[in-house]
Amino acid sequence: MASFVIAFDSTHAAIAAQEVLKKPPNGADPVRFSVVSTPAEISAGCGISLSFEAETRINALETLALIHEFYQLASLYERVGDACERRFELLGGGLIGW
């Protein structure tokens, strides 16, 4: 199953994203995610990233899109490869166009 990582340009953005996903401003159910260290393969300004499975990707992105301050503060990556080869493919920067 595919997994995704959102890497942030700042710790402030990462923490704010966690709060929004735990308690969405539109009253929706919380989004399931894990807080992870930003993988070494990803260049980001913050050491905190959020990881989530494919089935929660759309919900997570739609929830974060409600908060305009996240535009251009995060990048979405998909984990590709198998257990022996860990790579991350950039899918989009900022929430616009995700």
Side-chain angles (χ1 to χ4, degrees):
M1 180 183 302
S3 64
F4 298 87
V5 171
I6 298 177
F8 297 91
D9 289 345
S10 72
T11 302
H12 171 76
I15 292 170
Q18 291 175 54
E19 293 173 5
V20 168
L21 292 173
K22 287 179 185 177
K23 189 173 181 181
N26 62 357
D29 290 334
V31 177
R32 289 187 327 245
F33 65 92
S34 298
V35 177
V36 298
S37 296
T38 300
E41 298 87 352
I42 296 175
S43 176
C46 175
I48 300 171
S49 291
L50 303 181
S51 175
F52 51 98
E53 299 301 323
E55 67 268 8
T56 59
R57 174 185 172 205
I58 300 299
N59 191 16
L61 298 178
E62 287 176 348
T63 300
L64 290 174
L66 296 171
I67 310 302
H68 298 289
E69 67 198 50
F70 286 103
Y71 290 164
Q72 303 304 317
L73 294 179
S75 298
L76 176 67
Y77 294 84
E78 180 177 8
R79 182 177 176 171
V80 295
D82 56 25
C84 296
E85 177 191 22
R86 184 173 84 163
R87 294 180 300 132
F88 292 88
E89 185 175 294
L90 178 64
L91 298 180
L95 294 178
I96 300 171
W98 279 3

